[in-house]
Amino acid sequence: MKTVTAVMRDRIDQEMMEKAGAILKQGGLVAFPTETVYGLGGNALDEQAAEKIYAAKGRPSDNPLIVHIAEFEALERIADGIPEAARKLADAFWPGPLTMIFNKKELVPHGTTGGLETVAVRMPDHPVALALIRAGGGYVAAPSANLSGRPSPTCAAHVQEDLDGRIDMILDGGDVGIGLESTIVDLSEGVPTILRPGYINQQMLEEVIGRTEMDRGLLSDDSDVRPRAPGMKYRHYAPKASLTIVEGPQERVIARINQLADEGEAAGEKIGVIAAAESTQHYGSGIVRTIGSRSDEISIARHLFGILREFDRLEVDRIYSESFETPQMGQAIMNRLMKAAGHQVMEV
Ligand code: TXA
Ligand code: MG
């Protein structure tokens, strides 16, 4: 299959957008930018499109997809018993990086929900995404547009790297703004529960709807505690190199990483270092990448996946990373970094 790329960085190319919409209506696949990461879109109401998504990504088909919509009214056709809390959250955060889980209506095929009776729904905050959803019939199922197990794509080149030749089209909207996948909240039963942390954190949710809980499977690194979002159980975002997070007072972290990088290089290994802008200058060995500034946490979120991909390309053997417990997005950043590290943390 030849994958066509349409560039829409500054304005939407209407002709190509119509083509993209037609591809979705005919059951094909189009990758597109959102404010979080790039998505791999197919018609959410077409079971066969869901199958194609799983095949293109090499993803297990028990892992449900998020349905992307462009108007709130669209939610009523696919979700049953929408609670008041969902309306409040939609008012506060849609369009935006928040996914909500509801009981599903008949219209949504089980192929899209990985066999579940619930459906995850989100309205992305990106003009290209919203135009595509409208052009494609209003319901676009989209996981992140990476091969299963690789870091989520934060620019069109990452999508090409993974999916060129496997999908019909890529809409290139430039670099994404946030860089980590949306926050997922389950509103289908009981106390609203956060299944995946993201840009919108627990405190921001609680300011709008009161008490929420964190999924136990998220907080535990015990693999017997199963996360409620099936996708959270996989070792995602995994770079090829082994990644270790080094935690502790900043000076000691820098000293230890320098020592480990020296030892690795002496043993003939290629070492990658992930550092905040504030400490980059203190590293003397290894391939050092600045992830962003501790005073601008979104810059850290935005660069994480791209750096992991770059280290893959450079065939680095080992990666050492500082830890980034920032105020708003710290939990989301550390959730992704911990997964990439397979929970390998060194305290100094
Ligand atoms: O920011 C995002 O959410 C991006 C962009 C493209 O919108 N999408 C994304 O999709 O991250 P994906 O498929 O990579 O992650 C979806 C997560 C998975 O962990 C999946 O298990 C969970 O959402 N999920 C989807 N539907 C669910 C459901 N009904 N119940 C529980 N978890 C669900
Ligand atoms: Mg994903």
Side-chain angles (χ1 to χ4, degrees):
M1 179 186 295
K2 168 128 181 53
T3 303
V4 176
T5 297
V7 179
M8 305 195 186
R9 294 194 185 179
D10 310 314
R11 55 167 201 93
I12 290 172
D13 177 335
Q14 294 300 344
E15 198 181 319
M16 291 309 274
M17 189 56 84
E18 270 172 41
K19 283 193 180 147
I23 290 171
L24 291 181
K25 285 180 174 162
Q26 287 156 19
L29 304 185
V30 179
F32 61 98
T34 79
E35 79 281 35
T36 58
V37 300
Y38 273 70
L40 172 57
N43 180 355
L45 308 184
D46 173 355
E47 197 134 30
Q48 269 149 24
E51 270 168 38
K52 280 195 199 164
I53 291 175
Y54 291 120
K57 277 183 66 93
R59 170 172 177 157
S61 60
D62 66 345
N63 189 358
L65 307 173
I66 296 174
V67 178
H68 294 67
I69 57 173
E71 325 333 292
F72 187 82
E73 292 65 48
L75 180 63
E76 274 146 9
R77 292 187 57 211
I78 55 172
D80 210 16
I82 301 167
E84 192 48 34
R87 295 177 197 279
K88 288 186 184 160
L89 289 175
D91 268 350
F93 300 118
W94 276 3
L98 177 69
T99 296
M100 295 191 261
I101 294 179
F102 305 95
N103 291 307
K104 80 171 192 72
K105 280 191 176 161
E106 201 74 31
L107 191 61
V108 188
H110 282 119
T112 299
T113 65
L116 298 177
E117 291 307 321
T118 52
V119 61
V121 187
R122 152 166 139 80
M123 189 190 295
D125 186 14
H126 195 294
V128 174
L130 293 169
L132 178 70
I133 295 162
R134 292 186 181 117
Y139 299 92
V140 176
S144 49
N146 50 281
L147 285 175
S148 190
R150 299 214 68 208
S152 295
T154 55
C155 63
H158 295 165
V159 181
Q160 273 158 351
E161 207 170 83
D162 282 12
L163 298 176
D164 191 35
R166 301 169 76 94
I167 62 176
D168 298 286
M169 199 178 210
I170 298 172
L171 306 183
D172 178 351
D175 291 340
V176 299
I178 293 176
L180 298 182
E181 306 85 347
S182 60
T183 306
I184 302 180
V185 187
D186 189 349
L187 296 167
S188 67
E189 57 171 2
V191 180
T193 303
I194 299 168
L195 307 190
R196 179 172 74 182
Y199 176 85
I200 295 171
N201 65 20
Q202 187 166 22
Q203 187 190 338
M204 292 158 78
L205 295 170
E206 291 192 338
E207 275 164 19
V208 178
I209 57 166
R211 186 163 81 92
T212 63
E213 278 175 0
M214 294 292 301
D215 181 22
R216 282 201 324 128
L218 261 185
L219 300 173
S220 167
D221 51 14
D222 176 352
S223 56
D224 289 341
V225 184
R226 282 175 64 96
R228 253 157 76 182
M232 298 298 282
K233 71 175 181 270
Y234 299 106
R235 182 173 176 246
H236 268 210
Y237 325 116
K240 290 175 192 141
S242 96
L243 165 60
T244 304
I245 302 166
V246 184
E247 271 182 2
Q250 211 45 32
E251 273 172 32
R252 283 166 58 179
V253 167
I254 292 168
R256 177 62 68 86
I257 291 180
N258 270 324
Q259 180 203 342
L260 290 163
D262 281 342
E263 286 169 8
E265 289 192 333
E269 288 177 339
K270 219 179 203 186
I271 305 294
V273 176
I274 303 179
E278 289 77 5
S279 41
T280 306
Q281 55 173 342
H282 303 298
Y283 290 104
S285 350
I287 304 168
V288 183
R289 287 293 172 267
T290 304
I291 188 166
S293 164
R294 289 186 186 275
S295 62
D296 175 15
E297 53 182 306
I298 202 167
S299 70
I300 294 178
R302 191 185 295 143
H303 295 126
L304 174 60
F305 290 146
I307 292 176
L308 295 180
R309 276 181 182 264
E310 188 190 354
F311 282 152
D312 272 356
R313 268 197 311 277
L314 296 172
E315 300 190 325
V316 160
D317 299 298
R318 274 176 211 286
I319 305 169
Y320 296 104
S321 178
E322 296 179 357
S323 148
F324 307 99
E325 313 278 0
T326 56
Q328 185 193 323
M329 291 188 75
Q331 194 175 30
I333 294 167
M334 291 312 291
N335 168 268
R336 306 315 192 273
L337 196 57
M338 286 287 259
K339 277 178 162 242
H343 292 268
Q344 282 189 87
V345 179
M346 187 183 284
E347 303 283 345
V348 293

